[in-house]
Amino acid sequence: MHNPKSAHYFKTFLTQSFSVENYLFWKDVDNFRKLILGNADRIVAKYIKEGSIAEVNISGSFRGDIEREVLTRDFAVGIFDELQKEIYKLLENNF
C-alpha cells in the first residue's frame, strides 16, 4: 500500500467492491502515526535533547526516559503530558 501506483489500483478495486473505507481508514491512521512520530522527533530535538537550541530545564532521568521512548518509538500519544504540566508549573512561578 506504500507504492502509489499499486495503491491507486487497489483503491479502485476496493471502491468497486464497496469496501474502500477500509483502505481510507488504514491510510488515515498511517498518516496520523507519521505525523505523531515526526512531531515527537521535532519536540525532542528542539526542547528535550541536551544542548538543544531551546532546551527546557528538566531532570536528567525525565530527559532520558523521553528520549529513549521516542527513539524506540515506544510511547503513547500523551508522552509529553507530564512534562507539559511541569513546565506549566515553572511558568506559573514566573508570575
Side-chain angles (χ1 to χ4, degrees):
M1 285 202 260
H2 294 287
N3 178 302
K5 194 171 190 175
S6 297
H8 171 74
Y9 289 121
F10 188 53
K11 185 178 173 187
T12 301
F13 167 76
L14 291 172
T15 301
Q16 294 168 351
S17 302
F18 302 103
S19 59
V20 73
E21 66 278 357
N22 294 326
Y23 171 80
L24 296 174
F25 172 80
W26 183 89
K27 191 72 171 160
D28 282 344
V29 170
D30 193 51
N31 288 337
F32 172 77
R33 183 175 289 116
K34 288 175 185 174
L35 182 67
I36 295 266
L37 293 174
N39 281 335
D41 289 337
R42 183 185 57 77
I43 288 170
V44 167
K46 186 173 182 179
Y47 301 104
I48 309 298
K49 201 162 192 58
E50 196 169 337
S52 59
I53 61 170
E55 181 181 349
V56 293
N57 186 15
I58 59 175
S59 73
S61 61
F62 212 165
R63 182 181 319 279
D65 290 346
I66 290 175
E67 286 180 331
R68 183 178 55 260
E69 289 172 19
V70 170
L71 181 66
T72 61
R73 302 299 198 227
D74 184 26
F75 64 89
V77 174
I79 184 174
F80 299 111
D81 289 354
E82 193 62 36
L83 179 55
Q84 188 179 30
K85 289 176 189 173
E86 290 296 316
I87 297 298
Y88 187 80
K89 288 177 189 175
L90 292 173
L91 292 170
E92 280 184 324
N93 290 334
N94 288 329
F95 289 113

